[in-house]
Amino acid sequence: MTAGAWAVLLGTWAVAVASPGPDFVAVLRGSMAGGTARGLRVAAGVVAGIAVWIAAALIGIVALISSHPTVFLAVRWAGAVFLVLYGGYILNSLARARKQKSGHVGDPEADPAGDRGESASAGSSGSDSATGSATGSTATSVAASIQMPTSTQVPASSPATTPTSAPASAPGTTPAPAPAPASTSTPARSGWADVRLGFLTNTVGNPKAVVFFGALFAGILPAGIEAGESVAVGLAMAGIALVFFAALAFATGRPLVIRAYERAQTAIDTVVGLVFIVLGLALLPWGGV
C-alpha cells in the first residue's frame, strides 16, 4: 500500500469511529453509569467486535454476505431486533426503578411507628418524673432509674412494643444478635457482561458494517495485498478504535460526570433507550430491501 492509501484508509476510519452510533452510546452510558472501568470493558468488547469485522472483510466473508441479499437481510433483522430490545431493556429498567422508589418513599409503616414509640416513651418518662417529684424521694428515683429496665417505662397495654422490647430488657441474659437486614442492593455487574454488551452492540447491532467495510476495503485496498500488510491494516484500525473509545471512557467516567449523570439519570437513560430503539427501527428493511 502507498502512503496515500494508508492516509485515506485510516483517515476515513477515524472519522467513522468518532461518529456517534450504537458503539459510542454504549461506551458513553457504561462509563457514566459505572465509571471508567466499566466504560473500558464495554470499549474492549466494541474493539473486539471491530476486529471481527476487519478480519471478516480481509478474508472475504463481508463480500460474501453482501453479495447474498437473503443473508444480508437476515443480518439486518438481527441487528434491528438487538438494538430495539436493548433500548427496551433500558426503558424497562427505568420503569422498575421508578416503581421501587415510589414503593419505598412515604411508607406508612416506617416513620409513624417510630413516632408512636418515641411519644410513648416521652409520655411515660414524663409521668415517672412527675411521680418522683411528687414523692420527693430523690434517692429512690435515682435507684429506680438505674435498676429498672427501660422497657418497663412503656405501658403494658401497648401490644406493638411489649413483645419486641421484653427479650432485650430481660435482666441477667445476653441479648441475641439481631438478624442481618436483607440486602436490597443490586448484585455487582459482571465484567464479562460489559464486554459482551460492547461486542454484541458492534457485531449484531451494527449490520451496516458489512456495507461499510466492504466498500472501504474494496475501494482502497489493492487487489494483491499481502498477508502481513493485511494484518498491519487490521491492527492499525483496531488501535485507532481502542484509543478513541478508551479516551471516551476516561473522559466520561470521571466522578464529576458520574454525579451529573446520577442527577439526570432518568432523562439520560430515557434518551439513550429511545436512541437505541430508533437506530434499530432504522435498520428494518421498510422498503423491502
Side-chain angles (χ1 to χ4, degrees):
M1 287 179 60
T2 63
W6 272 102
V8 173
L9 175 65
L10 298 183
T12 305
W13 173 242
V15 172
V17 169
S19 300
D23 300 337
F24 184 95
V25 176
V27 175
L28 180 67
R29 181 176 181 271
S31 58
M32 289 193 304
T36 301
R38 181 174 172 184
L40 288 175
R41 291 193 295 268
V42 178
V46 169
V47 175
I50 290 173
V52 169
W53 281 120
I54 294 174
L58 290 174
I59 64 179
I61 295 178
V62 165
L64 182 64
I65 294 175
S66 60
S67 63
H68 290 76
T70 304
V71 177
F72 181 60
L73 184 63
V75 172
R76 285 187 63 174
W77 270 101
V81 170
F82 171 79
L83 291 177
V84 170
L85 289 180
Y86 184 47
Y89 167 77
I90 294 175
L91 297 180
N92 186 46
S93 298
L94 276 178
R96 289 201 311 268
R98 190 180 298 113
K99 184 181 296 184
Q100 292 176 356
K101 185 177 180 180
S102 62
H104 288 294
V105 175
D107 187 359
E109 297 180 1
D111 294 337
D115 294 339
R116 287 194 300 267
E118 290 178 2
S119 60
S121 299
S124 59
S125 298
S127 62
D128 289 342
S129 300
T131 304
S133 58
T135 56
S137 177
T138 305
T140 305
S141 300
V142 173
S145 63
I146 295 175
Q147 298 174 1
M148 184 70 70
T150 306
S151 60
T152 57
Q153 297 179 359
V154 181
S157 60
S158 176
T161 56
T162 303
T164 57
S165 59
S169 62
T173 60
T174 302
S183 177
T184 57
S185 60
T186 304
R189 183 182 178 90
S190 171
W192 284 112
D194 297 325
V195 177
R196 183 172 62 249
L197 171 63
F199 182 80
L200 293 177
T201 301
N202 182 264
T203 52
V204 180
N206 189 25
K208 288 187 176 181
V210 174
V211 178
F212 173 78
F213 282 108
L216 182 66
F217 285 178
I220 298 177
L221 294 184
I225 186 172
E226 298 179 355
E229 205 166 19
S230 298
V231 173
V233 168
L235 291 176
M237 295 176 69
I240 290 174
L242 181 60
V243 169
F244 173 78
F245 288 117
L248 178 64
F250 275 108
T252 57
R254 301 172 65 86
L256 181 64
V257 178
I258 294 176
R259 287 194 294 270
Y261 167 78
E262 290 173 348
R263 288 193 295 269
Q265 181 177 1
T266 300
I268 293 175
D269 281 359
T270 301
V271 172
V272 171
L274 292 176
V275 165
F276 274 110
I277 292 176
V278 170
L279 290 174
L281 294 177
L283 285 177
L284 293 176
W286 299 104
V289 180

